Amino acid sequence: MERLWGLFQRAQQLSPRSSQTVYQRVEGPRKGHLEEEEEDGEEGAETLAHFCPMELRGPEPLGSRPRQPNLIPWAAAGRRAAPYLVLTALLIFTGAFLLGYVAFRGSCQACGDSVLVVSEDVNYEPDLDFHQGRLYWSDLQAMFLQFLGEGRLEDTIRQTSLRERVAGSAGMAALTQDIRAALSRQKLDHVWTDTHYVGLQFPDPAHPNTLHWVDEAGKVGEQLPLEDPDVYCPYSAIGNVTGELVYAHYGRPEDLQDLRARGVDPVGRLLLVRVGVISFAQKVTNAQDFGAQGVLIYPEPADFSQDPPKPSLSSQQAVYGHVHLGTGDPYTPGFPSFNQTQFPPVASSGLPSIPAQPISADIASRLLRKLKGPVAPQEWQGSLLGSPYHLGPGPRLRLVVNNHRTSTPINNIFGCIEGRSEPDHYVVIGAQRDAWGPGAAKSAVGTAILLELVRTFSSMVSNGFRPRRSLLFISWDGGDFGSVGSTEWLEGYLSVLHLKAVVYVSLDNAVLGDDKFHAKTSPLLTSLIESVLKQVDSPNHSGQTLYEQVVFTNPSWDAEVIRPLPMDSSAYSFTAFVGVPAVEFSFMEDDQAYPFLHTKEDTYENLHKVLQGRLPAVAQAVAQLAGQLLIRLSHDRLLPLDFGRYGDVVLRHIGNLNEFSGDLKARGLTLQWVYSARGDYIRAAEKLRQEIYSSEERDERLTRMYNVEFYFLSQYVSPADSPFRHIFMGRGDHTLGALLDHLRLLRSNSSGTPGATSSTGFQESRFRRQLALLTWTLQGAANALSGDVWNIDNNF
């Protein structure tokens, strides 16, 4: 046996060797990469003892070897069979490995995290750069941070805040030209401007708004000075009203209900309410719904930081704010204002029918001293008086509002870097450009960060970066009148954008402090935001990322950071109107409101003092956050939107319906339909998640599943009549919020008898319609996730 084994070994040594794969280091433009090549080598070459570029030599030509004696037939057969045996073994090993890998990926239920993990290079299609080789996430991140650090954010914020830029003004026209010229100097594929002709409301200098005392006989008495006649509420109703004064806290529905429960009826009276918590428009709408005649809005000092080293709002300063419960031009609701003569005159249902006027803390103090009646609850108390606040009623007042409507051209400015693989899908980032007053925090910061991101990404393009999807940078006009510029653009391109705009990132109100970080966002972006927070250093906690700063105080990071999108955010219309997931970032000061927002004291100097010199660092952190988010969104092969998050949202929101099941059952009604739709959505989302997780890299159907947010827009209501069609974030009878409000009437129905109907109580016909609208929108989202129609089962 030993002799046979020796003969076999000798046969192997004498057999010709097949050519071998060689990896050699490559110098020059592709230095650092390994390159495959085929080489012939000499048998018996001496192995190098030290590490160096390796050469493995293949066989010499047969004629160059010394002649060998003929092998016995058995050895020759072994020589010929050996390569096939090796090849067979390799094939068996490879097949077993692939089967095990696929089985593991398909069964990885315990992974827990979303399928769309965004922290690894594996999700990237590398760019090729002539100087740096392949660009992966770490390369792009380093390149982005390098070029971003070369900018001058602080100087741009200061210079922008010094420029007049009220929408429609000459100063705004000059700034528009300068920003368009700045974009044109960068390496962008397209730069353009669009113009809208919108109806804006301004004070009438010849007939200023006024506030007077009225005596018991009804005679108009002393005028209370409104310190700044330029401070007003755009879209307030015009006219004059007289009524007794009542203090109503923030003017929320629960505040007005509490007021009524304490024996003070808002009907026919003027309400005094504080700035904050909800928007001016919501305060005025609520007052109108409760029968009030008008609204006065003042800044309560107790709502702002009382830290002595930091500046505070002057007691003579009032706060500006529009009162249209909606967005865009309220005189062309649902339609774009490209041409003001194109549509018949129509007014938005969100325009109030009662007047509203901002007043200063000094005037509010004079009014509060005159109030009688019950003492306000402890949580309603403020710091203007040495004695407790009372609810009223108090003396009668006469409010006169003379604002006038003006047709005004506004201009949005656009710059675009086209994507290389999916140019027809847009990642949009925008910032408001206009401001009432200096607007340092309101719009100068966002404008500066936008310009800095344009410059940075332009430099990256010059150095080899090309995003997969298009990047669209936009400077909005008319933001202080209710996101007019952005909404008009959305209305003008609605049919295009709901298919092509994949995400919107807002830079408005980004720096209002430096202590707390909030992200007002669609649930689809929550996982991505978490990932990016782990990449950005905290501006005021050295050595910590933003994520570490949050979880240090609250392990449930999303409960600390994530907030719903409010209507007064420019991002709101993207989600609630068009169905595009959106996010707006804000650094806040200890959860306290920034005191100078929407006032003439919103200057660069005051913003710098509030942040105690950290404005450049905080603005840089926002730019890093937004920029890295844009890289992920524009460059990932799979768009990193976590649609599974909506399963949690659906469970949480519809879980609120459970408490009314017994009340409905007593009337012969059920919520089973909506529960079934909820289950279908959750199952469809999980099935799709697993399909994506185990799919081939190039599965085009799965990689282009973008419009999940759009699925939550009700297809059964008109965009013109109910523009905010989103069933979770929108407004109207089709929303889950409206259904819950209606169900609460079951317990406040005075008759208490099944089937009772009244104009103010629970109505079965309305409930059935609301339930159908909600159910089939949710079921439609489940169907869309299920894929092809033959995969859908709508049997309840």
Side-chain angles (χ1 to χ4, degrees):
M1 179 64 71
E2 290 179 358
R3 184 181 179 189
L4 288 174
W5 176 247
L7 290 171
F8 179 76
Q9 285 184 314
R10 178 167 181 167
Q12 290 292 92
Q13 292 171 357
L14 295 175
S15 65
R17 289 180 300 170
S18 60
S19 61
Q20 302 179 40
T21 301
V22 178
Y23 291 87
Q24 68 175 10
R25 294 194 177 276
V26 180
E27 302 297 329
R30 297 186 61 195
K31 183 177 180 180
H33 290 275
L34 297 177
E35 192 174 71
E36 294 186 10
E37 65 176 41
E38 298 284 326
E39 290 189 357
D40 288 337
E42 293 181 0
E43 182 180 25
E46 183 177 345
T47 304
L48 297 177
H50 60 281
F51 180 80
C52 64
M54 185 179 299
E55 289 187 12
L56 299 180
R57 299 186 180 277
E60 292 286 340
L62 291 176
S64 66
R65 296 172 180 267
R67 183 174 180 82
Q68 302 292 336
N70 290 334
L71 300 175
I72 61 175
W74 179 87
R79 175 180 58 77
R80 289 192 298 270
Y84 296 101
L85 291 172
V86 173
L87 179 61
T88 302
L90 286 174
L91 288 173
I92 293 172
F93 174 80
T94 303
F97 174 81
L98 290 175
L99 284 172
Y101 175 73
V102 171
F104 172 77
R105 286 192 70 178
S107 62
C108 187
Q109 300 293 329
C111 296
D113 294 335
S114 165
V115 46
L116 301 177
V117 177
V118 293
S119 60
E120 301 177 2
D121 284 346
V122 72
N123 201 23
Y124 274 75
E125 289 187 0
D127 285 314
L128 198 60
D129 175 57
F130 291 109
H131 305 292
Q132 298 187 359
R134 293 183 180 274
L135 297 177
Y136 292 96
W137 163 243
S138 56
D139 302 314
L140 293 175
Q141 186 182 42
M143 182 190 294
F144 170 76
L145 294 176
Q146 173 192 341
F147 290 124
L148 182 68
E150 297 172 358
R152 299 183 303 168
L153 265 173
E154 189 176 14
D155 288 345
T156 308
I157 295 170
R158 180 191 296 109
Q159 293 167 10
T160 304
S161 66
L162 293 175
R163 301 187 67 161
E164 179 202 5
R165 55 190 193 284
V166 175
S169 67
M172 173 56 84
L175 180 60
T176 299
Q177 292 179 356
D178 290 347
I179 289 183
R180 173 161 183 166
L183 297 187
S184 298
R185 290 192 293 269
Q186 302 300 326
K187 194 175 182 63
L188 303 176
D189 295 304
H190 310 282
V191 176
W192 74 99
T193 304
D194 71 7
T195 302
H196 300 268
Y197 298 87
V198 298
L200 304 182
Q201 202 184 68
F202 297 97
D204 185 348
H207 303 91
N209 301 339
T210 59
L211 183 65
H212 290 82
W213 297 111
V214 177
D215 63 21
E216 294 180 357
K219 184 178 180 180
V220 176
E222 176 191 357
Q223 179 175 341
L224 286 89
L226 301 177
E227 289 89 345
D228 189 343
D230 292 335
V231 186
Y232 71 112
C233 288
Y235 304 123
S236 165
I238 309 303
N240 60 82
V241 293
T242 302
E244 295 176 312
L245 185 68
V246 168
Y247 173 53
H249 202 209
Y250 292 111
R252 299 170 295 185
E254 56 266 37
D255 295 331
L256 298 171
Q257 289 166 357
D258 194 1
L259 193 65
R260 183 176 285 170
R262 293 173 186 271
V264 182
D265 196 340
V267 174
R269 288 169 167 155
L270 293 180
L271 300 189
L272 177 65
V273 301
R274 293 153 70 149
V275 171
V277 180
I278 60 175
S279 69
F280 278 35
Q282 290 170 301
K283 296 176 192 292
V284 176
T285 298
N286 294 336
Q288 178 179 304
D289 291 344
F290 276 78
Q293 290 270 61
V295 183
L296 302 173
I297 307 172
Y298 81 99
E300 169 60 55
D303 291 333
F304 304 112
S305 175
Q306 303 299 306
D307 190 355
K310 296 182 179 179
S312 58
L313 185 66
S314 166
S315 61
Q316 289 85 38
Q317 183 67 64
V319 179
Y320 165 99
H322 78 89
V323 292
H324 171 219
L325 190 66
T327 61
D329 181 0
Y331 305 109
T332 59
F335 299 99
S337 299
F338 285 116
N339 183 338
Q340 70 270 40
T341 64
Q342 191 170 356
F343 301 106
V346 179
S348 166
S349 59
L351 286 173
S353 59
I354 61 175
Q357 175 66 30
I359 61 174
S360 68
D362 277 354
I363 297 301
S365 178
R366 291 182 60 180
L367 297 176
L368 286 165
R369 293 180 191 279
K370 299 287 188 180
L371 292 181
K372 307 297 182 184
V375 174
Q378 182 58 42
E379 60 271 20
W380 290 29
Q381 296 297 324
S383 59
L384 286 176
L385 306 179
S387 57
Y389 290 16
H390 287 255
L391 298 177
R396 300 178 73 195
L397 294 168
R398 181 179 178 83
L399 172 64
V400 179
V401 173
N402 293 317
N403 304 336
H404 64 97
R405 171 186 165 189
T406 303
S407 180
T408 308
I410 62 171
N411 297 281
N412 299 322
I413 310 168
F414 303 81
C416 176
I417 297 173
E418 276 197 40
R420 73 174 188 282
S421 301
E422 300 175 34
D424 58 334
H425 288 106
Y426 319 143
V427 177
V428 187
I429 183 165
Q432 175 183 329
R433 184 173 75 256
D434 65 300
W436 182 92
K442 177 60 182 174
S443 64
V445 168
T447 297
I449 294 174
L450 180 72
L451 293 175
E452 202 58 32
L453 289 173
V454 170
R455 185 196 60 79
T456 300
F457 277 95
S458 174
S459 298
M460 291 174 67
V461 168
S462 297
N463 282 267
F465 170 64
R466 196 72 190 184
R468 177 184 180 90
R469 303 173 190 90
S470 296
L471 283 168
L472 191 56
F473 303 91
I474 311 178
S475 175
W476 304 116
D477 199 353
D480 265 0
F481 292 83
S483 303
V484 174
S486 59
T487 302
E488 294 307 307
W489 182 68
L490 292 174
E491 290 174 343
Y493 301 98
L494 179 61
S495 298
V496 174
L497 294 174
H498 89 265
L499 294 171
K500 297 192 174 186
V502 294
V503 171
Y504 177 66
V505 179
S506 170
L507 298 173
D508 295 341
N509 304 309
V511 180
L512 304 175
D514 71 340
D515 185 64
K516 299 284 188 181
F517 174 79
H518 291 157
K520 303 165 187 174
T521 183
S522 160
L524 293 173
L525 292 166
T526 302
S527 296
L528 177 59
I529 291 169
E530 178 182 9
S531 175
V532 175
L533 287 179
K534 295 175 180 178
Q535 306 290 326
V536 178
D537 292 335
S538 168
N540 63 347
H541 288 72
S542 179
Q544 286 186 327
T545 64
L546 284 173
Y547 181 82
E548 291 168 340
Q549 176 186 338
V550 171
V551 297
F552 183 79
T553 57
N554 188 347
S556 178
W557 80 272
D558 50 349
E560 182 76 13
V561 170
I562 301 301
R563 299 286 186 273
L565 279 169
M567 184 180 286
D568 55 359
S569 165
S570 64
Y572 178 80
S573 290
F574 275 84
T575 299
F577 176 51
V578 183
V580 174
V583 60
E584 178 178 289
F585 304 118
S586 292
F587 279 92
M588 309 291 292
E589 189 71 18
D590 295 320
D591 283 332
Q592 295 282 337
Y594 179 68
F596 307 114
L597 201 65
H598 295 294
T599 74
K600 290 190 174 180
E601 296 181 16
D602 182 14
T603 62
Y604 166 81
E605 290 74 20
N606 277 334
L607 181 60
H608 198 277
K609 289 176 183 176
V610 166
L611 271 70
Q612 298 181 328
R614 291 191 293 269
L615 174 58
V618 180
Q620 188 83 356
V622 174
Q624 289 184 22
L625 189 69
Q628 295 191 54
L629 200 72
L630 293 181
I631 294 174
R632 292 294 194 193
L633 290 166
S634 66
H635 198 63
D636 273 22
R637 179 181 58 83
L638 291 175
L639 191 69
L641 300 180
D642 186 359
F643 53 81
R645 287 275 182 169
Y646 257 118
D648 300 333
V649 174
V650 170
L651 282 174
R652 184 174 67 252
H653 282 67
I654 296 184
N656 296 329
L657 299 175
N658 289 336
E659 62 178 293
F660 302 102
S661 295
D663 302 272
L664 290 170
K665 188 175 181 180
R667 295 169 175 265
L669 301 172
T670 180
L671 292 167
Q672 184 56 44
W673 284 6
V674 76
Y675 292 152
S676 296
R678 174 197 65 187
D680 285 350
Y681 177 82
I682 294 172
R683 285 188 292 273
E686 175 60 19
K687 180 175 179 289
L688 183 58
R689 186 190 73 82
Q690 293 184 22
E691 285 182 11
I692 293 177
Y693 192 82
S694 59
S695 70
E696 294 290 335
E697 276 194 9
R698 302 294 176 178
D699 190 328
E700 196 70 13
R701 182 183 73 84
L702 295 177
T703 60
R704 295 172 74 91
M705 295 283 295
Y706 295 143
N707 280 341
V708 178
E709 196 78 68
F710 177 74
Y711 302 154
F712 292 109
L713 299 188
S714 176
Q715 304 300 306
Y716 308 103
V717 295
S718 164
D721 299 330
S722 300
F724 304 125
R725 293 178 291 150
H726 202 288
I727 59 173
F728 297 124
M729 303 182 197
R731 295 184 62 87
D733 230 28
H734 59 283
T735 63
L736 179 61
L739 178 62
L740 283 168
D741 288 341
H742 189 198
L743 287 174
R744 292 186 182 102
L745 297 177
L746 283 168
R747 299 179 180 179
S748 61
N749 195 332
S750 57
S751 66
T753 58
T757 58
S758 70
S759 59
T760 59
F762 180 81
Q763 301 173 42
E764 182 175 326
S765 60
R766 180 189 173 201
F767 165 77
R768 288 183 179 277
R769 183 176 185 276
Q770 286 180 299
L771 189 62
L773 291 173
L774 181 66
T775 298
W776 282 107
T777 301
L778 186 56
Q779 186 66 50
N783 292 348
L785 290 185
S786 296
D788 297 308
V789 292
W790 48 83
N791 294 323
I792 299 171
D793 179 9
N794 281 330
N795 293 320
F796 287 106

